[in-house]
Amino acid sequence: MSYGIYIGRNHSADGHAWLAGYGDEPSSHWLEIAPRETHAPGSQIEVGVSPSADLPGQRSTIPQVAQTFRHLRVSYSYYLGVPAPITNGGLNEHGVAVRDIWSTSRKELIEMTPPDQRGPNYSDLARLVLERARTAREGVDLIAALIAEHGYSCYGGNSHIIADPDEAWVVIEFSGAQKLWVAERLGPDSIRASRPGYIRTIPDKPDDDFLFPEHFISFAIDQGWYDPAQGPFDVNAIYGDGKGRWDGVAWIEEEMRQRASRPEKIGVHDVVFAIATERLTGDTAGYGQVVPLVHPSHDALRVMWHAPVGPVTAPLVPVFMGMTEIPLEYGIHRYLTTGESARFLDERHSERDGDTVSHVAQGAEVTHSAFAVQKRLMHLAFQMQDPLLHEIHAHWRRLEVGLEAELPEVLRSAEILLEQGEDHLARRLLTVQSSLWLQNALQDAMCLADAAEMRVRNCGALNLSLHPMKPDQVW
């Protein structure tokens, strides 16, 4: 389902907006840097879903652009048959951040979806915005143009929050192959959570705050789903699930508004709370991201705070746009990676049986998987919530306080190097520093997990039933 939250700059202690969230998927997750790339004229890329997806479709191609932008993202290997690798978004070199969040379409629209649906899927749209958009509004216009020209492939409907330092947009894409989408602008006074993504009433025609295609309202009238005499067009009621804001969304939006009303307003640790609280975050959260929406003096200095699993029991650590590589421990491993159970780190069957060689490099596989280590720690904490969950949660929040204190000097050091034309040294500094933070956090997690397992075992608290233990959640 996934979850995202946007906080406008007027609510921020630092004077800038925030975008945070996580993805809800069962498979492996890994952090990666996608470099800026140049593509030959006439290049094509493959998009959409396959005939084996939960809502089947046909893969198709669309034109590639001449140049794609550098970005940070988390990828994963499975969701409802959507072809891997999949992404819910991240941050690009121009300061555009994206979060993908499920948003179901009404039953009749899902039933209209043809078995040969074509066009970009939700992951394609998130990736294409990161690769091509210089502003949030450009991201909205890109999604609109792609759907109009190529269609949209879905598993029941979806949404995106697209944000830059100046504004954000909620964009909802609907099932049914009718090329229906709608977007709402979020500004400096906005606090908006999506789970699922929602938009309520819209005007009769597009304006500065609401965008949608020409047939958006007339299609609902033709279907008998909307009568203009009944009042404003309520997108959620007419095209969505009709539930409005879910309980968790209402709770966290109100919690953030209360925090914003304090003299100190909202800081990074309040944003971390919004995606790390056990009321909202558990095993389904495959990772965590927090993006401060700023325009630094150099694009290499853009920051994304990253957690390898749900941050309820994991730390968020700064990673930089200017990094040249990600530690192998935070990259792809075979643990929970779809298809790896049928592959070997051995080529003897490759000629006879085709896809039998692992897609993970042998050198990477021998490193500890940060994703697997942190999942182990999460489920130890969930089996003894008092006191383990609270102790581990508090440990990581203290670590983040230390990272917040160190971050300005690291950024300033890299900035000085960049201003002196020492681009290579600046990127090396950012890579070494973030890698050190990530590796130290991983070592902490391994030690915490070993100690936690002994405590859980000695207390006779290992849960050997098939009913997982977890905190009570609002969702």
Side-chain angles (χ1 to χ4, degrees), residues 276-318:
T277 171
E278 68 274 16
R279 294 197 70 188
L280 303 181
T281 304
D283 175 67
T284 64
Y287 59 95
Q289 287 179 1
V290 170
V291 177
L293 295 162
V294 299
H295 278 315
S297 57
H298 300 269
D299 290 339
L301 304 178
R302 297 191 188 280
V303 177
M304 181 176 79
W305 294 68
H306 167 74
V309 301
V312 60
T313 55
L316 287 136
V317 175

Short mmCIF file of all heavy atoms in Angstrom, two decimals, residues 276-318:
data_model
loop_
_atom_site.label_atom_id
_atom_site.label_comp_id
_atom_site.label_asym_id
_atom_site.label_seq_id
_atom_site.Cartn_x
_atom_site.Cartn_y
_atom_site.Cartn_z
N ALA A 276 8.29 6.48 11.62
CA ALA A 276 8.92 5.49 12.50
C ALA A 276 8.02 5.06 13.65
O ALA A 276 8.31 4.05 14.30
CB ALA A 276 10.23 6.04 13.08
N THR A 277 6.95 5.79 13.93
CA THR A 277 6.08 5.41 15.03
C THR A 277 5.48 4.02 14.80
O THR A 277 5.05 3.68 13.69
CB THR A 277 4.96 6.43 15.23
OG1 THR A 277 4.01 5.91 16.18
CG2 THR A 277 4.21 6.73 13.93
N GLU A 278 5.44 3.22 15.87
CA GLU A 278 4.89 1.88 15.77
C GLU A 278 3.39 1.88 15.48
O GLU A 278 2.82 0.85 15.10
CB GLU A 278 5.18 1.07 17.04
CG GLU A 278 4.45 1.52 18.29
CD GLU A 278 5.18 2.63 19.03
OE1 GLU A 278 6.07 3.27 18.43
OE2 GLU A 278 4.86 2.86 20.22
N ARG A 279 2.73 3.02 15.63
CA ARG A 279 1.31 3.09 15.29
C ARG A 279 1.07 3.02 13.78
O ARG A 279 -0.03 2.71 13.34
CB ARG A 279 0.70 4.38 15.84
CG ARG A 279 0.66 4.48 17.35
CD ARG A 279 -0.30 5.55 17.82
NE ARG A 279 -1.69 5.17 17.56
CZ ARG A 279 -2.74 5.98 17.71
NH1 ARG A 279 -2.54 7.25 18.08
NH2 ARG A 279 -3.97 5.57 17.47
N LEU A 280 2.11 3.32 13.00
CA LEU A 280 1.96 3.35 11.55
C LEU A 280 2.89 2.40 10.81
O LEU A 280 2.64 2.09 9.65
CB LEU A 280 2.21 4.77 11.02
CG LEU A 280 1.35 5.91 11.57
CD1 LEU A 280 1.74 7.23 10.92
CD2 LEU A 280 -0.13 5.63 11.39
N THR A 281 3.97 1.98 11.43
CA THR A 281 5.04 1.30 10.70
C THR A 281 5.35 -0.05 11.31
O THR A 281 5.59 -0.16 12.51
CB THR A 281 6.31 2.17 10.71
OG1 THR A 281 6.00 3.44 10.17
CG2 THR A 281 7.42 1.53 9.88
N GLY A 282 5.36 -1.08 10.47
CA GLY A 282 5.69 -2.43 10.91
C GLY A 282 6.42 -3.19 9.82
O GLY A 282 7.14 -2.61 9.01
N ASP A 283 6.20 -4.50 9.75
CA ASP A 283 6.94 -5.36 8.82
C ASP A 283 6.63 -5.03 7.37
O ASP A 283 7.49 -5.21 6.49
CB ASP A 283 6.60 -6.82 9.10
CG ASP A 283 7.24 -7.76 8.09
OD1 ASP A 283 8.48 -7.86 8.10
OD2 ASP A 283 6.52 -8.36 7.28
N THR A 284 5.43 -4.55 7.08
CA THR A 284 5.10 -4.29 5.68
C THR A 284 5.93 -3.15 5.09
O THR A 284 6.08 -3.07 3.87
CB THR A 284 3.60 -3.96 5.50
OG1 THR A 284 3.31 -2.74 6.19
CG2 THR A 284 2.73 -5.09 6.01
N ALA A 285 6.44 -2.27 5.93
CA ALA A 285 7.27 -1.16 5.44
C ALA A 285 8.63 -1.70 5.02
O ALA A 285 9.43 -2.13 5.85
CB ALA A 285 7.43 -0.10 6.52
N GLY A 286 8.90 -1.67 3.71
CA GLY A 286 10.12 -2.28 3.22
C GLY A 286 11.36 -1.43 3.39
O GLY A 286 12.48 -1.91 3.24
N TYR A 287 11.20 -0.14 3.70
CA TYR A 287 12.32 0.78 3.85
C TYR A 287 11.75 2.09 4.38
O TYR A 287 10.54 2.21 4.60
CB TYR A 287 13.04 1.03 2.51
CG TYR A 287 12.13 1.60 1.45
CD1 TYR A 287 12.06 2.98 1.23
CD2 TYR A 287 11.31 0.78 0.69
CE1 TYR A 287 11.21 3.51 0.28
CE2 TYR A 287 10.46 1.31 -0.27
CZ TYR A 287 10.40 2.67 -0.46
OH TYR A 287 9.56 3.19 -1.39
N GLY A 288 12.59 3.10 4.57
CA GLY A 288 12.12 4.42 4.95
C GLY A 288 12.93 5.50 4.25
O GLY A 288 14.13 5.32 3.99
N GLN A 289 12.27 6.61 3.90
CA GLN A 289 12.95 7.75 3.28
C GLN A 289 12.44 9.05 3.88
O GLN A 289 11.24 9.20 4.10
CB GLN A 289 12.69 7.79 1.76
CG GLN A 289 13.42 6.73 0.96
CD GLN A 289 13.11 6.82 -0.54
OE1 GLN A 289 12.35 7.68 -0.97
NE2 GLN A 289 13.68 5.92 -1.32
N VAL A 290 13.36 9.97 4.13
CA VAL A 290 13.02 11.34 4.53
C VAL A 290 13.86 12.27 3.66
O VAL A 290 15.09 12.16 3.63
CB VAL A 290 13.31 11.59 6.02
CG1 VAL A 290 13.20 13.08 6.35
CG2 VAL A 290 12.37 10.78 6.91
N VAL A 291 13.20 13.20 2.97
CA VAL A 291 13.90 14.11 2.07
C VAL A 291 13.66 15.55 2.50
O VAL A 291 12.51 16.02 2.47
CB VAL A 291 13.43 13.95 0.61
CG1 VAL A 291 14.13 14.96 -0.29
CG2 VAL A 291 13.70 12.53 0.12
N PRO A 292 14.71 16.28 2.93
CA PRO A 292 14.58 17.73 3.10
C PRO A 292 14.58 18.39 1.74
O PRO A 292 15.52 18.21 0.95
CB PRO A 292 15.83 18.09 3.92
CG PRO A 292 16.80 16.99 3.66
CD PRO A 292 16.03 15.77 3.31
N LEU A 293 13.54 19.15 1.43
CA LEU A 293 13.36 19.72 0.10
C LEU A 293 14.03 21.09 0.05
O LEU A 293 13.44 22.12 0.38
CB LEU A 293 11.88 19.80 -0.23
CG LEU A 293 11.21 18.43 -0.35
CD1 LEU A 293 9.70 18.54 -0.25
CD2 LEU A 293 11.61 17.74 -1.66
N VAL A 294 15.28 21.08 -0.37
CA VAL A 294 16.09 22.30 -0.38
C VAL A 294 16.81 22.42 -1.72
O VAL A 294 16.92 21.46 -2.47
CB VAL A 294 17.14 22.29 0.76
CG1 VAL A 294 16.45 22.22 2.12
CG2 VAL A 294 18.11 21.11 0.61
N HIS A 295 17.32 23.64 -1.98
CA HIS A 295 18.21 23.87 -3.12
C HIS A 295 19.58 24.25 -2.58
O HIS A 295 19.85 25.41 -2.28
CB HIS A 295 17.67 24.98 -4.02
CG HIS A 295 16.63 24.54 -4.99
ND1 HIS A 295 16.75 23.38 -5.73
CD2 HIS A 295 15.44 25.11 -5.35
CE1 HIS A 295 15.68 23.24 -6.49
NE2 HIS A 295 14.88 24.27 -6.28
N PRO A 296 20.49 23.28 -2.40
CA PRO A 296 21.83 23.60 -1.92
C PRO A 296 22.63 24.32 -3.00
O PRO A 296 22.19 24.45 -4.15
CB PRO A 296 22.41 22.22 -1.60
CG PRO A 296 21.71 21.29 -2.53
CD PRO A 296 20.33 21.85 -2.70
N SER A 297 23.82 24.74 -2.64
CA SER A 297 24.67 25.46 -3.59
C SER A 297 25.15 24.57 -4.73
O SER A 297 25.50 25.06 -5.81
CB SER A 297 25.88 26.07 -2.87
OG SER A 297 26.61 25.05 -2.21
N HIS A 298 25.19 23.26 -4.50
CA HIS A 298 25.59 22.29 -5.51
C HIS A 298 24.66 21.08 -5.43
O HIS A 298 24.33 20.63 -4.32
CB HIS A 298 27.05 21.84 -5.30
CG HIS A 298 28.05 22.95 -5.37
ND1 HIS A 298 28.67 23.33 -6.54
CD2 HIS A 298 28.52 23.78 -4.41
CE1 HIS A 298 29.49 24.34 -6.30
NE2 HIS A 298 29.42 24.63 -5.01
N ASP A 299 24.27 20.54 -6.57
CA ASP A 299 23.36 19.40 -6.57
C ASP A 299 23.92 18.20 -5.83
O ASP A 299 23.16 17.40 -5.26
CB ASP A 299 23.03 19.00 -8.01
CG ASP A 299 22.17 20.03 -8.73
OD1 ASP A 299 21.51 20.83 -8.04
OD2 ASP A 299 22.18 20.04 -9.98
N ALA A 300 25.24 18.05 -5.82
CA ALA A 300 25.85 16.91 -5.13
C ALA A 300 25.54 16.90 -3.64
O ALA A 300 25.65 15.85 -2.98
CB ALA A 300 27.37 16.93 -5.35
N LEU A 301 25.14 18.04 -3.08
CA LEU A 301 24.91 18.16 -1.65
C LEU A 301 23.47 17.82 -1.24
O LEU A 301 23.12 17.92 -0.07
CB LEU A 301 25.24 19.58 -1.18
CG LEU A 301 26.67 20.05 -1.50
CD1 LEU A 301 26.87 21.48 -1.03
CD2 LEU A 301 27.71 19.12 -0.87
N ARG A 302 22.64 17.42 -2.18
CA ARG A 302 21.28 17.01 -1.82
C ARG A 302 21.33 15.75 -0.96
O ARG A 302 22.17 14.87 -1.17
CB ARG A 302 20.44 16.75 -3.07
CG ARG A 302 20.27 18.00 -3.93
CD ARG A 302 19.22 17.78 -5.01
NE ARG A 302 19.20 18.90 -5.93
CZ ARG A 302 18.60 20.06 -5.70
NH1 ARG A 302 17.95 20.25 -4.56
NH2 ARG A 302 18.63 21.04 -6.60
N VAL A 303 20.42 15.68 0.00
CA VAL A 303 20.44 14.62 1.02
C VAL A 303 19.12 13.86 1.02
O VAL A 303 18.04 14.46 0.88
CB VAL A 303 20.67 15.22 2.42
CG1 VAL A 303 20.61 14.13 3.50
CG2 VAL A 303 22.01 15.94 2.49
N MET A 304 19.21 12.56 1.18
CA MET A 304 18.05 11.72 1.46
C MET A 304 18.39 10.83 2.65
O MET A 304 19.39 10.13 2.63
CB MET A 304 17.68 10.86 0.25
CG MET A 304 16.46 9.98 0.46
SD MET A 304 15.99 9.06 -1.05
CE MET A 304 17.20 7.73 -1.02
N TRP A 305 17.59 10.90 3.71
CA TRP A 305 17.77 10.01 4.85
C TRP A 305 17.14 8.66 4.51
O TRP A 305 15.98 8.59 4.08
CB TRP A 305 17.12 10.59 6.10
CG TRP A 305 17.75 11.86 6.62
CD1 TRP A 305 17.74 13.09 6.04
CD2 TRP A 305 18.45 12.01 7.86
NE1 TRP A 305 18.41 14.01 6.83
CE2 TRP A 305 18.85 13.37 7.96
CE3 TRP A 305 18.78 11.15 8.90
CZ2 TRP A 305 19.55 13.88 9.04
CZ3 TRP A 305 19.48 11.64 9.99
CH2 TRP A 305 19.87 12.99 10.06
N HIS A 306 17.90 7.57 4.72
CA HIS A 306 17.48 6.24 4.26
C HIS A 306 17.54 5.22 5.40
O HIS A 306 18.50 5.18 6.17
CB HIS A 306 18.40 5.77 3.12
CG HIS A 306 18.26 4.32 2.79
ND1 HIS A 306 17.18 3.81 2.11
CD2 HIS A 306 19.07 3.25 3.06
CE1 HIS A 306 17.31 2.50 1.96
NE2 HIS A 306 18.46 2.14 2.53
N ALA A 307 16.48 4.41 5.50
CA ALA A 307 16.45 3.25 6.40
C ALA A 307 16.24 2.00 5.55
O ALA A 307 15.36 1.98 4.68
CB ALA A 307 15.34 3.38 7.43
N PRO A 308 17.00 0.91 5.78
CA PRO A 308 16.91 -0.27 4.92
C PRO A 308 15.66 -1.10 5.14
O PRO A 308 15.34 -1.95 4.31
CB PRO A 308 18.17 -1.07 5.28
CG PRO A 308 18.50 -0.65 6.67
CD PRO A 308 18.10 0.79 6.77
N VAL A 309 14.96 -0.93 6.28
CA VAL A 309 13.65 -1.53 6.52
C VAL A 309 12.79 -0.46 7.18
O VAL A 309 13.21 0.70 7.30
CB VAL A 309 13.73 -2.80 7.40
CG1 VAL A 309 14.61 -3.85 6.77
CG2 VAL A 309 14.22 -2.47 8.80
N GLY A 310 11.60 -0.83 7.61
CA GLY A 310 10.75 0.14 8.30
C GLY A 310 11.48 0.75 9.49
O GLY A 310 12.02 0.02 10.33
N PRO A 311 11.52 2.08 9.60
CA PRO A 311 12.34 2.72 10.64
C PRO A 311 11.80 2.62 12.05
O PRO A 311 12.37 3.19 12.96
CB PRO A 311 12.42 4.18 10.18
CG PRO A 311 11.28 4.36 9.25
CD PRO A 311 11.01 3.03 8.62
N VAL A 312 10.72 1.86 12.26
CA VAL A 312 10.27 1.61 13.62
C VAL A 312 11.38 0.95 14.44
O VAL A 312 11.51 1.19 15.64
CB VAL A 312 8.98 0.74 13.62
CG1 VAL A 312 9.20 -0.61 12.96
CG2 VAL A 312 8.44 0.58 15.03
N THR A 313 12.22 0.14 13.79
CA THR A 313 13.34 -0.50 14.49
C THR A 313 14.65 -0.32 13.71
O THR A 313 15.57 -1.13 13.86
CB THR A 313 13.09 -2.00 14.71
OG1 THR A 313 12.81 -2.62 13.43
CG2 THR A 313 11.93 -2.23 15.66
N ALA A 314 14.74 0.69 12.89
CA ALA A 314 15.94 0.91 12.09
C ALA A 314 16.24 2.40 12.03
O ALA A 314 15.33 3.22 12.15
CB ALA A 314 15.77 0.35 10.68
N PRO A 315 17.52 2.77 11.84
CA PRO A 315 17.86 4.18 11.76
C PRO A 315 17.73 4.74 10.36
O PRO A 315 17.90 4.03 9.37
CB PRO A 315 19.33 4.19 12.19
CG PRO A 315 19.85 2.88 11.67
CD PRO A 315 18.71 1.91 11.80
N LEU A 316 17.43 6.02 10.27
CA LEU A 316 17.53 6.76 9.02
C LEU A 316 18.89 7.44 8.98
O LEU A 316 19.26 8.15 9.91
CB LEU A 316 16.39 7.77 8.91
CG LEU A 316 15.03 7.11 8.62
CD1 LEU A 316 13.94 7.69 9.48
CD2 LEU A 316 14.68 7.25 7.14
N VAL A 317 19.62 7.20 7.90
CA VAL A 317 21.00 7.67 7.76
C VAL A 317 21.11 8.52 6.50
O VAL A 317 20.58 8.15 5.45
CB VAL A 317 21.97 6.47 7.69
CG1 VAL A 317 23.39 6.94 7.43
CG2 VAL A 317 21.90 5.64 8.97
N PRO A 318 21.80 9.66 6.55
CA PRO A 318 21.91 10.51 5.36
C PRO A 318 22.75 9.86 4.26
O PRO A 318 23.84 9.34 4.51
CB PRO A 318 22.60 11.78 5.88
CG PRO A 318 22.38 11.76 7.36
CD PRO A 318 22.37 10.32 7.74
#
